């Protein structure tokens, strides 16, 4: 008798368990749908034969590669792609060099003005970045750097220093100082200690800095819009924005094709690097 | 016997002379060269030797500082002798700021030079030894390693981050706008007039309409920032909990799909949503029209309904949830796995159920860890230009606002004031206000973190 009750209870528990499992799966599948539909929509649109938003279909009846071909033939898309890539790579190199050196110095040394410098950087980072727009415009105008990519690289590379210094400094607290001290006891100079001992240990946080730096020019719109005036010099963000809102406002499908070609590599990179990205964010905030 | 004060005094007047007195020739010459360069730049860059002196024609530093104070005194005019020399207020202001920054750096070097002369002489008296310049260089490299490492980053910060911000701040105290555009006009210092105008203090025509616009946009900005921080946070937390449930198989697959909105470039998703929610042609409405749930002649204008501002605002918020939850989901998954297993084992032994474990252990710990990130996210959303600009460009237009639409937040309003209306002075004044809000919030947030307490 007792065993029977136990059995039916067990059955009930099992049924409940299955119910919960089904609920959980349906929630996940539902959210996946919500996430995927806009993405499938933009991919599908890019293969549509028409050019307007009104005629675009998620699953086109006669899929075509026309817009991809037009993109390369009729617009400066390839230029924009290359420009963005070039800025991204140079900016990444600059960022890694600039912020690892400052982050290291701030985490390891005690020196005059350290406190003031750290607080100043924190304050600088709180200003909305485009507050600097007008001044930077005049500055680059004066030095003849308007409509060049170097202007953008300089803005980005300088702008990332405060945040990344803090993030790297935070990360380095997890690497014991004894490592530095023993290296110096062995007669290594400060520069050698940094470049030979600490720098290789910073791989995760350098990946974080590098990925975020690499992403910046693909996402940023305000500064390229301000500085790059000639179409051939644009970055992708400006070019894609112009496709939707500019004179060819109707060319939705071409925008879709352009968007797909940008999104694929960037998304893959992001998903592949997500571990480092999350680690970097938490290093900056909590470990501090 | 050397006299430290004499060495210092010599170096104070003629840089490096104290060092030479201390028998450190190379070092002395180096300091002297810096001083000479400075003087040469000023004297040779200006027009000092041809009769009547004019500040306008002085060298870089003097004319810069003069320009910063006066913002220029005369406009270029076309006379029968050609164009007369004129002042460009903005360039002068910028030059003045750069001149002051450089002079401050130079002052620091000068101070180091005087201090060094004094110290070396004093050391000589005590030990009877003078370091050779070469040895000194090597020592300095090792001793000042931390400063030298920071020089490139420091210079970039000063010229591309700090200097433009200083410029933007001082513009808020001028009348630089569409009607005062150099080189056609000069601009002037106007004190706090822009701030008085913004807050309608005193009788400045049009001020009340500004205040009306500003207050409305400000309230919407706060709502926008709070909602688009809190809701994605909880959605992400919820999703992370479900995803990490042990009943779920293929976690990696689901995770990779769910993370897509975060991984895709935001600008692309935003521009795409702008099309998807297009009232007449967007696929979202077309779907409902096709199944007969929406009248094709009066579609819902998700992002551009001019009658009900809360419809486009709500749509923006929902799109923000889509974009924002995966970040929190990924973050929470990370934080949840970082909680030690022992805690759960102990709880299990004490007879805590799965639910209790979640509410009593997981949730409080995760929220505590994520709190500083929440404040950072609020600051980010407060200035989330892209979500507004790429979806609606601030529209639909509100006729009771000045140069602003229904969905404009402060940052996008300032952007159009600067780029389209060229109201630099008011845009700067408002940026300062934003900075005060975000700055004090972040400072408060930061002061509570462990890092700050330990470090400073």
């Amino acid at each position: 008798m007792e065993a029977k009750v136990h059995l039916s209870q067990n059955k009930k528990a099992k049924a409940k368990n299955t119910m919960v499992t089904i609920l959980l799966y349906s929630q996940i599948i539902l959210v996946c749908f919500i996430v995927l539909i806009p993405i499938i929509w933009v991919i599908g649109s890019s293969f549509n034969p028409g050019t307007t938003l009104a005629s675009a279909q998620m699953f086109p009846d006669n899929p075509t590669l026309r817009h991809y071909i037009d993109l390369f033939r009729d617009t400066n898309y390839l230029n924009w792609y290359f420009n963005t890539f070039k800025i991204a790579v140079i900016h990444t190199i600059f960022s890694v060099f600039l912020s690892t050196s400052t982050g290291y110095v701030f985490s390891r040394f005690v020196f005059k003005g350290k406190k003031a410098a750290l607080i100043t950087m924190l304050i600088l980072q709180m200003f909305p970045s485009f507050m600097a727009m007008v001044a930077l415009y005049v500055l680059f105008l004066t030095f003849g750097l308007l409509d060049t990519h170097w202007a953008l690289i300089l803005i980005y590379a300088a702008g990332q220093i405060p945040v990344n210094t803090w993030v790297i400094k935070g990360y380095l607290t997890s690497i014991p100082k004894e490592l530095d001290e023993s290296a110096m006891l062995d007669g290594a100079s400060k520069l050698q200690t940094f470049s030979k001992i600490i720098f290789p240990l910073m791989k995760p946080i350098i990946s974080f800095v590098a990925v975020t730096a690499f992403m910046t020019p693909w996402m940023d719109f305000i500064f390229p819009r301000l500085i790059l005036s000639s179409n051939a010099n644009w970055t992708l963000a400006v070019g894609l924005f112009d496709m939707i809102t500019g004179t060819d406002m109707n060319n939705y499908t071409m925008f879709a094709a352009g968007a797909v070609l940008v999104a694929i590599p960037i998304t893959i990179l992001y998903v592949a690097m997500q571990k480092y990205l999350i680690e970097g964010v938490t290093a900056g905030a909590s470990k501090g | 016997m050397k006299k430290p004060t004499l060495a210092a005094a010599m170096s104070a007047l003629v840089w490096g002379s104290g060092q030479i007195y201390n028998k450190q020739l190379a070092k002395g010459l180096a300091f002297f060269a810096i001083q000479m360069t400075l003087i040469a730049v000023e004297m040779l860059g200006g027009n000092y030797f041809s009769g009547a002196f004019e500040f306008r024609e002085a060298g870089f530093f003097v004319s810069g500082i003069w320009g910063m104070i006066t913002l220029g005194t005369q406009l270029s005019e076309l006379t029968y002798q050609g164009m007369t020399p004129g002042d460009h207020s903005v360039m002068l202001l910028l030059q003045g700021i750069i001149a002051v920054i450089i002079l401050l750096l130079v002052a620091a070097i000068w101070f180091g030079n005087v201090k060094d002369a004094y110290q070396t002489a004093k050391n000589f008296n005590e030990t009877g030894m003078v370091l050779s310049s070469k040895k000194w260089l090597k020592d300095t490299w090792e001793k000042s390693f931390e400063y030298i490492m920071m020089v490139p980053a420091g210079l970039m910060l000063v010229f591309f981050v700090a200097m433009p911000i200083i410029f933007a701040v001082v513009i808020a105290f001028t009348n630089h706008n569409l009607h005062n555009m150099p080189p056609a006009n000069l601009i002037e210092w106007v004190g706090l007039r822009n701030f008085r105008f913004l807050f309608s203090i005193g009788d400045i025509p049009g001020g009340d309409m500004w205040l009306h616009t500003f207050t409305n946009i400000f309230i919407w900005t706060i709502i926008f920032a709070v909602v688009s921080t809190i809701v994605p946070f909880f959605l992400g937390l919820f999703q992370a909990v479900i995803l990490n449930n042990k009943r779920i198989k293929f976690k990696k697959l689901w995770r990779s799909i769910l993370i897509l909105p975060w991984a895709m470039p935001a600008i692309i998703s935003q521009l795409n949503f702008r099309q998807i929610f297009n009232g007449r042609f967007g696929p979202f409405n077309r779907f409902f029209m096709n199944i007969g749930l929406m009248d094709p002649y009066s579609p819902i204008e998700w992002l551009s309904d001019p009658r009900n501002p809360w419809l486009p605002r709500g749509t923006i918020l929902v799109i923000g949830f889509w974009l924002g939850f995966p970040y929190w989901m990924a973050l929470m998954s990370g934080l949840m796995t970082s909680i030690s297993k022992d805690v759960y084992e102990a709880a299990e032994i004490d007879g805590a159920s799965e639910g209790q474990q979640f509410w009593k252990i997981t949730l409080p710990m995760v929220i505590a860890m994520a709190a500083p990130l929440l404040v950072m996210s609020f600051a980010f959303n407060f200035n989330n230009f892209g979500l507004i600009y790429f979806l609606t460009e601030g529209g639909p237009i509100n006729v009771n606002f000045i140069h602003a639409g229904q969905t404009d937040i402060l940052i996008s309003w300032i952007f159009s004031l600067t780029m389209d209306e060229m109201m630099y002075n008011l845009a700067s004044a408002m940026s300062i206000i934003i900075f005060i809000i975000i700055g004090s919030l972040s400072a408060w947030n930061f002061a509570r973190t462990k890092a700050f307490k330990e470090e400073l």
Side-chain angles (χ1 to χ4, degrees):
Chain A
M1 188 70 177
E2 232 177 37
K4 227 179 184 176
V5 171
H6 191 73
L7 209 69
S8 79
Q9 253 175 3
N10 221 349
K11 235 183 198 167
K12 245 187 196 162
K14 230 180 196 168
K16 197 186 150 209
N17 206 357
T18 326
M19 271 302 289
V20 173
T21 313
I22 292 174
L23 269 178
L24 291 180
Y25 270 111
S26 29
Q27 196 274 351
I28 289 191
I29 290 168
L30 177 73
V31 178
C32 283
F33 255 102
I34 298 173
V35 163
L36 284 175
I37 283 178
I39 298 171
I40 297 172
W41 159 257
V42 73
I43 298 173
S45 309
S46 69
F47 294 110
N48 265 273
T51 58
T52 59
L53 177 64
S55 67
Q57 287 174 307
M58 192 143 146
F59 301 105
D61 302 325
N62 311 300
T64 165
L65 284 173
R66 212 185 92 199
H67 304 298
Y68 288 90
I69 298 163
D70 288 353
L71 204 57
F72 291 102
R73 219 184 40 201
D74 301 343
T75 72
N76 278 323
Y77 187 80
L78 203 60
N79 270 357
W80 303 337
Y81 216 106
F82 178 72
N83 292 341
T84 317
F85 185 75
K86 185 182 90 183
I87 296 171
V89 169
I90 303 177
H91 171 43
T92 307
I93 297 168
F94 267 58
S95 298
V96 169
F97 168 71
L98 288 170
S99 46
T100 48
S101 55
T102 47
Y104 174 68
V105 166
F106 277 109
S107 89
R108 286 303 196 258
F109 298 104
V110 181
F111 52 90
K112 237 187 262 171
K114 177 177 177 180
K115 198 166 149 181
L118 278 172
I119 293 178
T120 312
M121 284 205 284
L122 209 67
I123 293 172
L124 286 180
Q125 160 207 339
M126 287 164 199
F127 281 92
S129 65
F130 70 78
M131 235 183 111
M133 272 189 332
V134 180
L136 287 171
Y137 188 87
V138 180
L139 185 74
F140 291 129
L141 177 73
T142 319
F143 290 99
L145 282 173
L146 276 188
D147 206 18
T148 67
H149 298 139
W150 278 107
L152 273 184
I153 294 168
L154 287 173
I155 295 178
Y156 291 149
Q160 56 80 37
I161 295 172
V163 191
N164 282 337
T165 302
W166 274 97
V167 169
I168 291 175
K169 183 178 149 306
Y171 180 83
L172 280 175
T173 48
S174 67
I175 295 176
K177 277 189 185 151
E178 286 77 26
L179 270 177
D180 302 47
E181 282 156 18
S182 61
M184 285 193 203
L185 277 182
D186 290 345
S189 74
K190 287 177 182 171
L191 184 63
Q192 282 166 334
T193 313
F194 171 63
S195 57
K196 300 254 168 67
I197 313 279
I198 303 299
F199 194 80
L201 288 175
M202 287 164 73
K203 203 185 127 214
I205 204 70
I206 290 174
S207 315
F208 169 77
V209 171
V211 176
T212 46
F214 188 81
M215 291 301 171
T216 312
W218 304 85
M219 312 270 197
D220 186 50
F221 172 79
I222 293 181
F223 284 116
R225 174 81 184 211
L226 177 79
I227 284 173
L228 306 174
S229 47
S230 49
N231 189 297
N233 279 343
W234 281 354
T235 63
L236 280 166
V238 182
L240 288 176
F241 183 77
D242 187 66
M243 272 189 197
I244 280 200
T245 56
T247 39
D248 321 318
M249 211 166 146
N250 293 327
N251 218 336
Y252 173 67
T253 41
M254 201 193 269
F255 157 79
V260 168
L261 289 185
V262 187
I264 290 174
I266 296 294
T267 309
I268 292 174
L269 182 65
Y270 235 76
V271 172
M273 302 299 277
Q274 53 167 305
K275 196 183 122 221
Y276 294 122
L277 291 169
I278 295 293
E279 211 170 296
V281 172
T282 37
S286 46
K287 262 191 261 167
Chain B
M1 207 52 193
K2 306 264 180 206
K3 292 195 183 103
T5 38
L6 178 64
M10 284 172 74
S11 271
L13 287 175
V14 181
W15 298 26
S17 59
Q19 278 76 5
I20 294 172
Y21 165 76
N22 288 337
K23 298 214 167 65
Q24 289 180 312
L25 190 65
K27 192 162 79 174
L29 287 177
F31 277 123
F32 186 65
I34 296 176
Q35 186 185 22
M36 283 300 113
T37 316
L38 191 69
I39 292 174
V41 166
E42 177 63 33
M43 298 312 284
L44 299 180
N47 185 7
Y48 278 103
F49 310 106
S50 61
F53 172 76
E54 280 211 59
F55 273 118
R56 184 171 299 106
E57 288 167 7
F60 181 81
F61 296 102
V62 173
S63 68
I65 290 170
W66 165 82
M68 192 168 72
I69 295 167
T70 62
L71 292 180
T73 52
Q74 69 180 46
L75 283 171
S76 168
E77 276 170 4
L78 189 63
T79 64
Y80 53 87
Q81 286 161 331
M83 297 292 279
T84 60
D87 301 325
H88 189 296
S89 305
V90 172
M91 298 250 184
L92 281 177
L93 182 56
L94 193 73
Q95 188 193 338
I97 294 172
I98 295 177
V100 170
I101 293 175
I102 295 179
L103 286 178
L104 284 175
L105 292 177
V106 168
I109 300 176
W110 172 81
F111 183 73
N113 144 61
V114 173
K115 203 175 148 197
D116 175 78
Y118 182 85
Q119 207 62 43
T120 313
K122 207 172 143 204
N123 282 351
F124 174 79
N125 289 345
E126 282 161 11
T127 62
M129 274 190 355
V130 174
L131 286 175
S132 76
S133 290
K134 204 171 154 195
K135 179 93 187 352
W136 172 80
L137 202 65
K138 213 176 151 203
D139 275 11
T140 313
W141 160 251
E142 200 56 23
K143 220 169 30 190
S144 326
F145 173 78
E146 44 267 41
Y147 294 105
I148 294 165
M149 286 284 274
M150 286 189 303
V151 167
L155 285 179
M156 290 194 64
L157 272 182
V158 167
F159 285 103
F160 296 109
V161 179
M163 192 276 294
I165 289 176
I166 296 171
F167 179 86
V169 169
V170 299
I171 283 291
F173 303 94
T174 70
N175 63 355
H176 185 23
N177 60 22
L178 187 62
H179 308 295
N180 296 297
M181 283 296 275
N185 316 85
L186 292 171
I187 65 175
E188 279 163 20
W189 293 111
V190 295
L192 289 172
R193 191 171 188 277
N194 295 318
F195 292 92
R196 288 212 314 271
F197 179 74
L198 277 183
F199 292 110
S200 258
I201 303 166
D203 277 338
I204 303 173
D208 47 344
M209 204 161 162
W210 270 98
L211 190 63
H212 172 75
T213 314
F214 182 78
T215 327
N216 275 284
I217 291 184
F218 183 73
I219 293 170
W220 158 236
T221 309
I222 296 280
I223 297 173
F224 170 77
V226 170
V227 174
S228 37
T229 304
I230 301 286
V231 177
F233 171 79
F234 281 107
L235 287 177
L237 176 65
F238 181 68
Q239 201 59 54
V241 171
I242 290 187
L243 196 62
N244 287 329
N245 191 294
K246 47 184 181 284
R247 293 182 181 85
I248 300 292
K249 299 266 172 0
F250 311 117
K251 284 199 172 67
K252 239 190 165 157
L253 169 74
W254 303 120
R255 210 176 127 94
S256 304
I257 295 176
L258 291 173
I259 214 160
L260 285 176
W262 180 52
M264 267 175 62
I267 176 170
I268 285 177
S269 313
Q270 285 152 356
L271 289 174
N272 189 34
F273 272 118
R274 177 198 186 116
Q275 309 300 321
I276 289 178
F277 285 103
N278 181 302
R280 275 214 267 158
F281 308 118
F284 189 76
N285 276 3
R286 272 198 281 140
F287 174 76
F288 287 103
M289 287 172 193
N290 287 343
I291 59 170
L293 280 177
M294 194 185 287
D295 178 4
Y297 297 102
S298 61
I300 300 178
E301 301 274 0
W302 296 103
L303 287 168
S304 52
D305 192 325
R307 285 154 304 178
N308 179 7
W310 289 101
L311 183 62
R313 288 176 182 177
T315 313
I316 289 178
L317 286 175
V318 172
I319 295 172
F321 301 159
W322 187 90
L323 284 161
F325 90 89
Y327 163 75
W328 290 111
M329 182 192 76
L331 192 72
M332 295 301 167
S333 303
L335 291 181
M336 279 196 272
T337 47
S338 75
I339 300 175
S340 155
K341 293 265 181 321
D342 304 351
V343 186
Y344 291 106
E345 274 166 24
E348 224 157 88
I349 292 167
D350 290 345
S353 72
E354 217 176 304
Q356 281 171 325
Q357 284 177 26
F358 174 74
W359 291 108
K360 297 275 150 87
I361 302 173
T362 316
L363 195 63
M365 281 185 90
V366 164
I367 289 185
M369 284 190 275
L373 293 172
L374 269 173
V375 183
M376 274 165 66
S377 167
F378 176 83
F380 168 79
N381 281 312
F382 197 93
N383 288 332
N384 194 341
F385 170 84
L387 193 53
I388 304 293
Y389 194 78
F390 298 135
L391 286 174
T392 65
E393 290 179 61
I397 287 167
N398 182 333
V399 286
N400 295 318
F401 286 174
I402 295 182
H403 307 305
Q406 303 279 25
T407 57
D408 259 321
I409 56 173
L410 282 173
I411 201 97
S412 61
W413 186 33
I414 294 178
F415 181 78
S416 28
L417 284 181
T418 317
M419 292 296 271
D420 307 333
E421 313 297 333
M422 300 185 191
M423 295 186 170
Y424 301 120
N425 52 347
L426 289 173
S428 283
M430 282 194 294
S431 304
I432 293 177
I433 296 168
I434 293 193
F435 165 73
I436 292 172
I437 297 165
I438 295 297
S440 45
L441 188 77
S442 315
W444 168 78
N445 178 42
F446 184 70
R448 291 161 53 244
T449 60
K450 211 171 108 228
F452 186 79
K453 284 173 190 153
E454 275 174 6
E455 193 61 53
L456 302 167

